[in-house]
């Protein structure tokens, strides 16, 4: 993950705005095992009627593979869950 988005997630107080550029225009292609695991969880949850499971998998993407949700400002986590 780029440093600016990581800093904004972990320390949102001093960040007033963040401009992210260079995003692709096509669907991302995930190949790494961590992303494939999370995507499988997201795909399985709705089929099983597990809304909370889908949210949990979504939140894993919010934190990323190298941090925990506890590392992200609680207010940001709350907004994402809502």
């Amino acid at each position: 993950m780029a440093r600016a988005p990581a800093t904004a997630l972990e320390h949102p107080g001093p960040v007033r705005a963040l401009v992210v550029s260079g995003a692709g225009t096509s669907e991302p292609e995930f190949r790494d095992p961590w992303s494939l695991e999370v995507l499988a969880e997201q795909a399985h949850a709705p089929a099983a009627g597990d809304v909370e499971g889908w949210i949990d998998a979504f939140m894993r993407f919010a934190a990323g593979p190298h941090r925990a949700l506890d590392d992200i400002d609680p207010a940001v986590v709350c907004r994402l869950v809502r």
Side-chain angles (χ1 to χ4, degrees):
M1 174 182 274
R3 291 179 187 214
T7 300
L9 285 170
E10 293 174 17
H11 309 284
V15 179
R16 182 171 30 173
L18 183 66
V19 176
V20 180
S21 65
T25 56
S26 59
E27 287 294 318
E29 186 175 323
F30 297 102
R31 295 181 183 181
D32 64 282
W34 182 86
S35 294
L36 294 174
E37 176 186 324
V38 176
L39 288 170
E41 289 175 18
Q42 279 187 308
H44 177 312
D50 184 7
V51 173
E52 291 295 322
W54 188 93
I55 292 171
D56 290 344
F58 174 81
M59 295 305 292
R60 286 183 65 192
F61 268 120
H66 304 294
R67 80 168 56 89
L69 282 177
D70 292 341
D71 298 329
I72 299 174
D73 182 271
V76 173
V77 173
C78 184
R79 289 183 79 181
L80 289 170
V81 171
R82 278 188 295 180

